[in-house]
């Protein structure tokens, strides 16, 4: 049955990687392989000889001799499966609820056209100067609202500033590098760093202190090189676009960003899981949005009744990326099935005996450009048993977060840019991939030196 589960994982993985050629959304194979993997665990439970306890992070002693169903309070194989499944589902849901909260806050900001505030900050027509402004904005924004959302926001703004499609593609490529670098050093900047933070592999403060400088180097080096390329010489022929901001745009933007940044602070003060703080921030943000909407509504009409089902919070919830949420559910729970059988633990021990840890993590970062970084990081958390804030966890956060920039399909930011600007795989490979590789290697060098 272990072979069946492994084959299901490999086939599902290939289907996710070949999402675009197959024209099948990656959430479909993720959900199917999750269900089949756990079905395989259930059917083969009686024959399994090893089981990994996620609570103690060690293999269960004497698991092979346990009965399938216990009697008189005796721990059985079925009890271990049910407890382990509930543990992994609970930990996964913590991450998913956190992401739902963050996505909703971002959509509420967008409802008030808050991100148009950044457009007002961009007044230059010089391409090289605009490149630096956009990359710095991507680096900072991605650390707060995550790299995927930062990419969407900045490409949307660029569409209002730059008419030439080829030039926008160049800018989009650099945004991907900067956004992924910015997301790597923040506990809320990338799904993988959020996973490591919420699973108590890293703390927010040490993560920032350790990865901020390597991430800056990963962004700055490619930007410096790009600023001398022909594509970023001269000035842009900018269009005069209308300003869609309303009177509450700046207020809601600042409020939303502050409330998201408040989440790690809330966790540090209360020691509660991060999703509790995110729900508090979402509640406050939603309350402000409803108050402002109701105030505007009351000024425009004499009717005192309003359909709250169509308020800003409701609209924001209908726009969040539910396919991404379900994809993360499928991936994380599938890896949990492999981990429960001790496969990930055994593989990690084998790898540690073959090659140095740093070499493996660096290769993991390169692999994240080909294969989605979420399952790679999920698997790595089962391979290593190091203490919280150990060097390996920070290296994994950096490698998985920035390595995906080397191919356009290697990160969520790249995939969304690919869709928004219709960037081809080979266009990105010829023009941007080398810049991303140089930045990735430069950041690794600085990380290892520090």
């Amino acid at each position: 049955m272990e072979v069946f589960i492994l084959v299901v994982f490999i086939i599902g993985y290939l289907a996710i990687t070949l999402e675009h050629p197959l024209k099948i959304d990656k959430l479909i194979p993720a959900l199917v392989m999750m269900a089949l993997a756990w079905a395989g665990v259930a059917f083969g439970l009686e024959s399994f000889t090893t089981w990994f306890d996620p609570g103690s992070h060690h293999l269960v002693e004497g698991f092979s001799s346990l009965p399938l169903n216990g009697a008189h309070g005796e721990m059985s194989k079925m009890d271990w499966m049910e407890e382990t499944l509930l543990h992994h589902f609970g930990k996964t849901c913590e991450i998913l609820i956190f992401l739902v909260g963050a996505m909703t806050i971002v959509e509420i900001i967008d409802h008030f056209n808050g991100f148009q505030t950044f457009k007002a900050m961009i007044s230059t027509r010089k391409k090289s100067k605009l490149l630096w402004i956009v990359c710095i904005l991507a680096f900072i924004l991605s650390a707060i609202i995550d790299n995927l959302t930062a990419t969407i926001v900045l490409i949307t703004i660029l569409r209002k500033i730059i008419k030439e499609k080829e030039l926008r593609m160049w800018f989009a490529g650099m945004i991907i590098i900067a956004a992924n670098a910015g997301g790597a050093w923040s506990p809320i900047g990338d799904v993988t760093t959020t996973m490591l933070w919420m699973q108590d592999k890293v703390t927010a403060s040490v993560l920032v202190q350790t990865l901020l400088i390597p991430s800056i180097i990963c962004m700055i080096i490619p930007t410096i090189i790009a600023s001398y390329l022909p594509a970023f010489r001269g000035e842009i022929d900018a269009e005069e676009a209308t300003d869609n901001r309303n009177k509450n745009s700046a207020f809601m933007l600042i409020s939303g960003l502050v409330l998201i940044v408040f989440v790690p602070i809330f966790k540090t003060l209360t020691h509660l899981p991060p999703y509790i703080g995110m729900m508090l921030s979402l509640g406050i943000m939603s309350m402000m949005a409803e108050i402002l909407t109701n105030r505007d509504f009351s000024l425009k009409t004499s009717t005192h009744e309003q359909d709250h089902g169509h308020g800003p919070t409701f609209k924001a919830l209908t726009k969040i990326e539910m396919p991404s949420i379900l994809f993360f559910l499928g991936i994380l729970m599938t890896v949990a099935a492999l981990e429960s059988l001790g496969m990930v633990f055994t593989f990690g021990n084998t790898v540690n005996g073959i090659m140095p840890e740093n070499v493996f993590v660096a290769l993991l970062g390169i692999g994240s450009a080909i294969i989605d970084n979420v399952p790679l990081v999920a698997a790595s958390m089962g391979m290593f048993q190091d203490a919280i804030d150990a060097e390996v966890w920070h290296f994994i956060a950096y490698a998985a977060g920035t390595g995906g920039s080397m191919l356009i399909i290697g990160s969520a930011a790249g995939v969304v840019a690919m869709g928004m600007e219709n960037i081809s795989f080979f266009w990105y490979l010829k023009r941007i991939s080398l810049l991303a590789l140089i930045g990735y290697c430069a950041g690794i060098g600085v990380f290892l030196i520090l």
Side-chain angles (χ1 to χ4, degrees):
M1 194 55 73
E2 288 98 332
V3 175
F4 168 77
I5 296 170
L6 201 56
V7 169
V8 166
F9 180 67
I10 293 170
I11 294 174
Y13 224 126
L14 288 172
I16 290 168
T17 307
L18 300 172
E19 173 190 16
H20 296 287
L22 293 176
K23 293 181 171 53
I24 298 176
D25 194 289
K26 60 185 178 182
L27 84 91
I28 296 172
L31 293 178
V32 171
M33 73 177 182
M34 174 194 74
L36 290 178
W38 278 102
V41 172
F43 283 124
L45 187 60
E46 191 170 8
S47 63
F48 294 144
T49 57
T50 57
W51 193 266
F52 186 78
D53 179 10
S56 65
H57 301 288
H58 288 95
L59 295 176
V60 177
E61 292 184 10
F63 182 79
S64 59
S65 61
L66 292 178
L68 180 62
N69 294 291
H72 309 295
E74 180 187 7
M75 199 68 174
S76 65
K77 289 185 176 181
M78 186 64 72
D79 292 328
W80 272 113
M81 186 188 75
E82 290 175 352
E83 284 193 12
T84 304
L85 180 59
L86 185 61
H87 173 90
H88 285 298
F89 185 70
K91 289 296 182 182
T92 299
C93 284
E94 285 186 9
I95 297 171
L96 301 187
I97 293 298
F98 179 92
L99 293 174
V100 167
M103 289 176 177
T104 308
I105 290 175
V106 168
E107 290 296 342
I108 292 174
I109 295 173
D110 191 52
H111 175 82
F112 288 89
N113 293 316
F115 294 113
Q116 289 297 320
T117 304
F118 291 115
K119 182 177 177 296
M121 297 166 56
I122 302 174
S123 58
T124 184
R125 289 176 179 265
K126 191 175 180 181
K127 293 179 183 177
S128 58
K129 188 176 180 181
L130 179 62
L131 172 67
W132 278 100
I133 292 173
V134 166
C135 287
I136 291 171
L137 274 176
F139 185 83
I140 296 172
L141 263 183
S142 63
I144 303 173
I145 60 173
D146 80 61
N147 47 14
L148 171 63
T149 309
T151 302
I152 294 172
V153 168
L154 289 171
I155 290 179
T156 302
I157 292 172
L158 282 177
R159 283 179 169 178
K160 303 177 187 300
I161 298 174
I162 302 173
K163 293 185 293 184
E164 186 185 343
K165 177 173 171 53
E166 177 80 8
L167 180 58
R168 276 205 318 270
M169 289 165 66
W170 272 99
F171 273 96
M174 297 307 298
I175 286 172
I176 293 168
I177 294 175
N180 285 336
W185 62 272
S186 165
I188 53 179
D190 185 89
V191 175
T192 53
T193 51
T194 300
M195 287 163 54
L196 290 165
W197 178 48
M198 294 186 67
Q199 296 289 349
D200 291 324
K201 303 300 183 184
V202 298
T203 57
S205 58
V206 179
L207 179 72
V208 173
Q209 292 170 22
T210 306
L211 293 189
L212 179 57
I213 294 177
S215 297
I216 290 174
I217 296 299
C218 181
M219 182 272 290
I220 283 183
I221 299 297
T223 308
I224 290 173
I225 297 171
S227 62
Y228 290 100
L229 296 177
F232 295 104
R233 292 176 186 166
E235 296 187 350
I236 59 172
D237 184 14
E239 286 184 316
E240 292 296 327
T242 55
D243 191 350
N244 295 321
R245 284 185 296 164
N246 64 37
K247 61 183 180 181
N248 298 314
S249 294
F251 172 74
M252 292 304 285
L253 172 66
I254 294 171
S255 299
L257 297 182
V258 168
L259 285 169
I260 293 175
V261 172
F262 167 72
V263 175
I265 299 172
F266 181 83
K267 181 185 186 300
T268 303
L269 294 175
T270 64
H271 302 289
L272 289 169
Y275 72 92
I276 301 289
M278 185 58 78
M279 291 300 101
L280 174 61
S281 293
L282 175 58
I284 295 171
M285 189 70 177
S286 299
M287 181 173 63
M288 291 191 297
E290 295 294 335
I291 290 172
L292 292 175
T293 302
N294 290 338
R295 180 186 297 169
D296 290 342
F297 185 83
S298 63
L299 292 174
K300 293 175 183 176
T301 178
S302 58
T303 304
H304 294 290
E305 294 183 1
Q306 183 182 4
D307 183 4
H308 291 281
H310 293 84
T313 306
F314 176 84
K315 291 177 180 176
L317 284 167
T318 62
K319 291 181 179 179
I320 62 174
E321 284 283 329
M322 279 309 296
S324 296
I325 298 296
L326 291 175
F327 167 71
F328 296 143
L329 172 66
I331 281 293
L332 294 175
M333 290 303 293
T334 303
V335 174
L338 295 174
E339 181 184 307
S340 299
L341 300 181
M343 292 182 182
V344 175
F345 180 78
T346 304
F347 179 74
N349 287 338
T350 303
V351 167
N352 281 335
I354 295 174
M355 66 178 72
E357 198 172 77
N358 286 339
V359 174
F360 173 74
V361 177
L363 292 175
L364 182 143
I366 295 173
S368 71
I370 305 168
I371 304 168
D372 196 279
N373 58 2
V374 172
L376 286 179
V377 172
S380 70
M381 288 193 292
M383 292 178 196
F384 302 101
Q385 308 304 316
D386 298 63
I388 188 170
D389 280 327
E391 179 186 308
V392 65
W393 301 125
H394 297 118
F395 198 4
I396 288 172
Y398 172 83
T402 61
S405 302
M406 284 180 270
L407 294 177
I408 197 166
I409 61 170
S411 66
V415 171
V416 75
M418 186 182 194
M420 291 181 74
E421 290 298 332
N422 198 25
I423 303 172
S424 74
F425 177 89
F426 291 104
W427 185 95
Y428 188 93
L429 183 66
K430 292 177 182 177
R431 295 164 177 81
I432 307 295
S433 292
L434 182 58
L435 293 172
L437 175 61
I438 292 170
Y440 175 72
C441 293
I444 286 179
V446 171
F447 174 84
L448 295 177
I449 290 170
L450 293 176

